[in-house]
């Protein structure tokens, strides 16, 4: 059986699998050599391309904020009548848990304390060092991090849900490469995305297993060593495989909601048990410090006073976020269908960042306060020697330390599982032609491969090797993200002209001889057809209408094609090499039956069934309406109306007509 007949992109899957399995084998067979290679490559990237990372992330932030503030922010990620698949709370929980959940637990205490003890620009263990520590931490985990994810997520959601392209990284390059994305060039792009995702995911899993090992050591006196961490990776990979096998709604969604609840409980407990007034005051000041230093830190590369700090911290973070961007971007695109670009960007850039700010203030400022007033520097000393136990050192100075440790252990385990299963789902989607529900065996394979890569990199040099791999893998992805930004701009540039064309007066639908009766038309509006019924409508009615239009255009010497698609049929009117071709496609779009349309019994039982709409897609994406139940003449009239608008669109954008 050929791979492409079972929903797999053969070149992408085989190429990615070979690289992933080869990396695992290399790290396990020659760990010392692998560690040396990763270390040298990491040092070269930091020394020669660190400025490029800093410039790129600054540009991404400016580009996205400008886009959100423009009129294009009203464009929907999907057809015009699309509605979000998830409520706002669930959406934020899912994108946050996949984006950086495990990282904030690992670094919640460790990073502020490290900057407080070894600040880049202040005297250690002073109030100024404390202020700088929180401003730097906010900078690393705030808007800049999520801007990296949002670039990829926006590109995928826009081209996938509005332009009808597959939900794969290659689709973001369609405005530039055209249909060549479906060939070898697209395969190479997706392979880069998979390898980068595995490197970024391995970093998160490496941090997660170190934190989980520290939790087990604190609670059960398990040793903190490589063997224990490998065992924990194996156990968590099994749970992640079970979660990813259950799908997005049943597994990942529920775990994400659990994470937010447990995180909220832990933060409230710490806030109540610690210096509450100080922490609330610090949150206000930290936000002000973050805003004040936003622009300066964005472009501060320490060109005039070179040091190792910026490479060890900021450039490492930017490399980590970039290497993980295909994963998080794909995931947040998958859960963001139906939102406007403005809603998407405001939510992605600010909601998780705000949660991170609260988390780091509660844990980071608490650690600094304890170190200055109670611990007499012991927290700083301990964290410098053993980073993963930072959080538990703080618990030792609070009441109910065992309870807090148990909650943290649960949180780390669930964050660990969600990072792994979300990553496996995304890699499966990339290697299965953008299928939103990849085959079960593929999800299981990539779940096991993600755990294997993390284990292999730990063998090849521990957490430092894992982090180095992420920074190195980010370089080619960073270049691709610049091209993505251009693709987004180029794709959205046509939206204004499209809107103007939509406002043209259109001829009424042609009278239908022997057409649908009132009863038949109402029945088609309120019905929820199965896939077979919707497919039969396309095969009979739509194809008949396309044939009618094609025959009339042929009389005017226009060349047309009627192309069968996997999920529908498409009419193409060719205009030669001088102008863009016109396309009118009717595709099957699966939707859940809305609650108001379910029977009372089904609604009480929480039953969720799906039906199929026969939606219209034009050159620039879906139009968001269903033509199921139309008469062939009505379908033909709709095609003609859109073709009239399309010719006006070509006329408007032709420079020769404006002379």
């Amino acid at each position: 059986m050929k791979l492409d007949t079972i929903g797999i992109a053969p070149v992408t899957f085989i190429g990615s699998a070979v690289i992933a399995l080869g990396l695992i084998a290399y790290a396990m067979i020659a760990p010392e050599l692998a560690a040396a290679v990763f270390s040298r490559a990491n040092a070269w990237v930091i020394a020669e391309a660190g400025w490029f990372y800093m410039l790129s992330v600054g540009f991404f932030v400016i580009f996205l904020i400008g886009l959100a503030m423009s009129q294009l922010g009203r464009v929907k990620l999907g057809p015009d009548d699309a509605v979000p698949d998830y409520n706002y709370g669930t959406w934020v929980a899912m994108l946050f848990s996949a984006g950086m959940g495990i990282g904030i637990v690992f670094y919640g205490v460790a990073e502020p304390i490290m900057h407080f003890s070894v600040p880049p620009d202040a005297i250690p263990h002073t109030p100024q060092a404390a202020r700088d520590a929180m401003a730097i931490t906010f900078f690393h985990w705030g808007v800049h991090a999520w801007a990296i994810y949002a670039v990829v997520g926006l590109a995928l959601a826009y081209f996938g849900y509005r332009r009808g392209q597959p939900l794969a990284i290659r689709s973001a390059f369609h405005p530039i490469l055209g249909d060549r994305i479906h060939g070898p060039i697209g395969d190479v792009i997706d392979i880069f995305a998979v390898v980068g995702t595995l490197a970024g995911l391995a970093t998160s899993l490496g941090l997660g297993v170190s934190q989980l090992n520290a939790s087990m050591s604190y609670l059960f006196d398990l040793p903190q060593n490589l063997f224990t961490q490998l065992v924990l990776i194996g156990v968590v990979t099994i749970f992640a495989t079970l979660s990813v096998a259950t799908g997005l709604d049943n597994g990942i969604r529920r775990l994400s909601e659990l994470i937010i609840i447990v995180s909220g409980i832990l933060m409230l407990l710490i806030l109540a048990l610690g210096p509450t007034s100080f922490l609330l005051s610090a949150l206000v000041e930290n936000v002000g410090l973050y805003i004040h230093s936003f622009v300066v830190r964005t472009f501060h590369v320490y060109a005039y006073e070179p040091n190792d700090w910026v490479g060890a911290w900021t450039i490492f973070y930017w490399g980590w976020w970039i290497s993980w961007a295909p994963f998080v971007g794909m995931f947040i695109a998958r859960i963001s269908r139906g939102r406007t670009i403005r809603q998407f960007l405001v939510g992605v850039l600010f909601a998780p960042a705000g949660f991170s700010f609260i988390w780091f203030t509660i844990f980071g400022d608490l650690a600094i306060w304890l170190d200055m007033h109670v611990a007499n520097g012991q927290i700083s000393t301990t964290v410098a020697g053993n980073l993963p136990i930072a959080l538990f050192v703080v618990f030792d100075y609070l009441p109910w330390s065992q309870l807090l440790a148990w909650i943290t252990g649960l949180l780390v385990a669930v964050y660990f599982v969600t990072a792994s299963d979300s990553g496996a789902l995304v890699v499966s989607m990339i290697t299965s032609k953008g299928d939103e529900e990849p085959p079960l065996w593929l999800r299981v394979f990539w779940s096991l491969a993600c755990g294997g890569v993390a284990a292999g990199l730990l063998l090849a040099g521990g957490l430092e090797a894992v982090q180095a791999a992420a920074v190195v893998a980010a370089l080619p992805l960073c270049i691709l993200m610049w091209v993505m930004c251009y693709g987004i701009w180029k794709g959205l540039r046509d939206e204004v002209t499209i809107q103007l064309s939509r406002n043209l007066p259109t001829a009424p639908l042609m009278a239908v001889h022997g057409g649908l009766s009132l009863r038949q038309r109402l029945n088609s509006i309120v019905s929820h057809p199965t896939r077979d019924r919707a497919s039969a409508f396309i095969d009979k009615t739509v194809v008949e209408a396309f044939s009618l239009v094609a025959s009339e255009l042929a009389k005017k010497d226009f060349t047309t094609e009627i192309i069968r698609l996997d999920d529908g049929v498409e009419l193409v009117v060719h205009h030669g090499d001088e102008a863009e071709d016109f396309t009118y496609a009717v595709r099957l779009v699966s939707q859940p039956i809305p609650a108001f349309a379910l029977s009372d019994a089904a609604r009480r039982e929480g039953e969720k069934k799906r039906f199929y709409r026969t939606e219209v897609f034009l050159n620039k994406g879906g139009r968001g309406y269903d033509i199921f139940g139309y008469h062939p003449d009505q379908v033909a009239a709709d095609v003609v109306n859109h073709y009239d608008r399309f010719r006006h669109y070509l006329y408007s954008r032709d420079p020769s007509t404006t002379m």
Side-chain angles (χ1 to χ4, degrees):
M1 179 182 293
K2 295 183 179 179
L3 289 175
D4 56 358
T5 64
I6 55 175
I8 301 300
V11 176
T12 303
F13 172 73
I14 294 174
S16 303
V18 167
I19 293 174
L21 297 177
L23 181 62
I24 295 171
Y26 175 54
M28 291 184 173
I29 294 173
E32 294 182 359
L33 179 60
V37 170
F38 294 145
S39 178
R40 286 196 297 270
N42 178 64
W44 183 89
V45 170
I46 290 174
E48 302 298 333
W51 64 269
F52 179 64
Y53 282 5
M54 299 290 285
L55 175 65
S56 298
V57 175
F59 169 76
F60 298 154
V61 172
I62 295 170
F63 173 74
L64 294 176
I65 292 178
L67 189 59
M69 295 173 63
S70 72
Q71 291 185 345
L72 293 173
R74 300 175 182 175
V75 175
K76 277 205 172 181
L77 301 176
D80 290 338
D81 67 342
V83 295
D85 293 335
Y86 302 97
N87 64 53
Y88 194 78
T90 298
W91 179 61
V92 170
M94 292 174 75
L95 65 89
F96 178 78
S97 62
M100 55 180 59
I102 193 64
I104 68 166
V105 179
F106 186 89
Y107 284 110
V109 167
E111 181 168 355
I113 279 289
M114 292 289 285
H115 298 323
F116 175 65
S117 304
V118 189
D121 304 308
I123 300 173
H125 304 286
T126 61
Q128 185 59 47
R131 283 191 287 268
D132 285 357
M134 297 311 302
I136 292 169
T137 302
F138 275 31
F139 174 63
H140 288 159
W141 296 83
V143 171
H144 293 73
W146 286 96
I148 295 170
Y149 298 155
V151 167
V152 181
L154 175 61
L156 293 174
Y158 177 73
F159 291 108
Y161 292 129
R162 190 165 182 87
R163 294 296 187 91
Q165 295 293 327
L167 200 63
I169 301 296
R170 67 178 71 195
S171 297
F173 298 87
H174 188 267
I176 302 165
L177 300 175
D179 290 339
R180 285 178 292 174
I181 65 167
H182 303 299
I185 296 177
D187 293 330
V188 172
I189 291 172
D190 282 346
I191 289 173
F192 270 123
V194 171
V195 174
T197 297
L198 292 175
L201 186 60
T203 301
S204 292
L205 297 184
L207 296 176
V209 75
S210 298
Q211 189 68 69
L212 189 59
N213 193 180
S215 303
M216 298 298 100
S217 176
Y218 187 87
L219 294 171
F220 306 114
D221 292 326
L222 287 179
Q224 285 185 264
N225 55 36
L226 180 60
F227 175 76
T228 304
Q229 292 172 6
L230 293 176
V231 171
L232 289 174
I233 283 182
V235 172
V236 171
T237 298
I238 292 173
F239 282 104
T241 302
L242 294 175
S243 174
V244 78
T246 62
L248 186 64
D249 284 335
N250 296 326
I252 298 171
R253 175 184 177 178
R254 302 303 179 193
L255 286 176
S256 300
E257 292 172 338
L258 174 63
I259 278 175
I260 293 297
I261 293 172
V262 175
S263 298
I265 292 172
L266 184 60
M267 285 192 296
L268 289 174
L269 282 173
I270 297 294
L271 186 62
L273 296 173
T276 307
S277 179
F278 165 75
L279 294 177
L280 294 176
S281 299
L283 176 61
V284 175
E285 185 163 345
N286 291 342
V287 172
L289 291 169
Y290 173 69
I291 295 173
H292 176 71
S293 62
F294 189 91
V295 175
V296 173
R297 292 196 182 278
T298 297
F299 301 101
H300 190 16
V301 297
Y302 290 87
Y304 297 105
E305 60 278 3
N307 58 50
D308 295 333
W309 182 90
V310 68
W313 286 101
T314 305
I315 294 177
F316 157 65
Y317 273 127
W318 288 182
W320 181 13
W321 304 147
I322 291 170
S323 67
W324 216 11
F327 152 49
V328 182
M330 175 77 78
F331 185 78
I332 62 178
R334 171 66 177 81
I335 63 176
S336 299
R337 183 182 187 273
R339 300 191 182 277
T340 66
I341 288 178
R342 183 173 295 122
Q343 291 170 341
F344 174 87
L345 291 177
V346 170
V348 172
L349 292 179
F350 298 107
F355 185 92
S356 298
F357 292 169
I358 297 171
W359 179 279
F360 278 104
T361 296
I362 291 176
F363 288 93
D365 270 307
L366 172 63
I368 291 174
W369 186 88
L370 289 172
D371 204 47
M372 295 177 68
H373 297 91
V374 179
N376 297 319
Q378 287 301 310
I379 295 178
S380 296
T381 302
T382 305
V383 170
N386 192 344
L387 205 63
I389 68 168
L391 192 56
F392 301 100
V393 173
V394 171
F395 290 163
D396 286 337
Y397 293 92
L398 296 175
W400 303 352
S401 59
Q402 286 292 317
L403 173 62
L404 297 175
W406 275 101
I407 295 175
T408 302
L410 172 63
L411 192 61
V412 171
V414 178
Y415 269 133
F416 201 170
V417 172
T418 55
S420 182
D421 61 15
S422 302
L425 176 63
V426 166
V427 174
S428 301
M429 291 168 62
I430 297 174
T431 55
S432 64
K433 302 179 181 179
D435 187 357
E436 295 184 19
E437 293 295 335
L440 175 60
W441 72 266
L442 187 64
R443 285 178 275 161
V444 171
F445 171 82
W446 283 117
S447 181
L448 297 175
C450 288
V453 169
L457 290 174
L458 283 175
L459 284 172
L463 195 54
E464 291 183 0
V466 175
Q467 294 172 335
V471 173
V472 174
L475 185 57
L477 289 175
C478 190
I479 297 172
L480 291 179
M481 288 177 65
W482 277 85
V483 183
M484 275 189 185
C485 289
Y486 176 71
I488 293 170
W489 174 79
K490 188 174 181 181
L492 289 174
R493 187 177 56 183
D494 288 336
E495 291 287 343
V496 174
T497 307
I498 293 171
Q499 292 296 333
L500 291 174
S501 298
R502 285 182 178 178
N503 294 331
L504 288 175
T506 58
L509 289 176
M510 293 179 288
V512 179
H513 177 68
L516 299 180
S517 67
L518 174 64
R519 179 181 303 171
Q520 290 172 316
R521 183 66 183 129
L522 286 174
N523 181 63
S524 68
I525 292 173
V526 301
S527 66
H528 297 92
T530 62
R531 184 185 183 94
D532 289 342
R533 284 186 63 202
S535 297
F537 170 77
I538 291 176
D539 293 340
K540 182 178 184 298
T541 304
V542 176
V543 170
E544 180 181 342
F546 283 4
S547 299
L548 175 62
V549 174
S551 65
E552 292 298 320
L553 288 172
K555 297 175 183 177
K556 305 295 183 183
D557 295 326
F558 281 90
T559 303
T560 61
E561 281 186 281
I562 299 176
I563 303 172
R564 291 285 184 171
L565 307 172
D566 292 339
D567 57 351
V569 66
E570 179 179 68
L571 173 67
V572 180
V573 181
H574 295 288
H575 294 132
D577 297 332
E578 300 300 323
E580 184 179 352
D581 293 337
F582 169 75
T583 62
Y584 181 107
V586 179
R587 292 176 173 171
L588 297 176
V589 176
S590 175
Q591 292 277 327
I593 297 178
F596 69 81
L598 292 173
S599 65
D600 290 339
R603 194 179 300 115
R604 285 194 300 270
E605 295 172 4
E607 183 178 355
K608 287 187 67 175
K609 295 184 177 179
R610 303 189 74 83
F611 72 105
Y612 286 83
R613 291 161 54 93
T614 51
E615 292 191 5
V616 173
F617 286 78
L618 303 179
N619 296 57
K620 305 303 179 183
R623 296 293 72 141
Y625 64 93
D626 183 11
I627 62 170
F628 182 79
Y630 277 31
H631 187 274
D633 287 347
Q634 291 174 307
V635 177
D638 195 48
V639 174
V640 171
N641 284 336
H642 281 299
Y643 186 55
D644 183 22
R645 293 170 177 168
F646 180 77
R647 289 182 68 90
H648 179 272
Y649 163 71
L650 293 181
Y651 178 85
S652 299
R653 66 183 296 197
D654 185 354
S656 64
T657 64
T658 61
M659 297 299 291

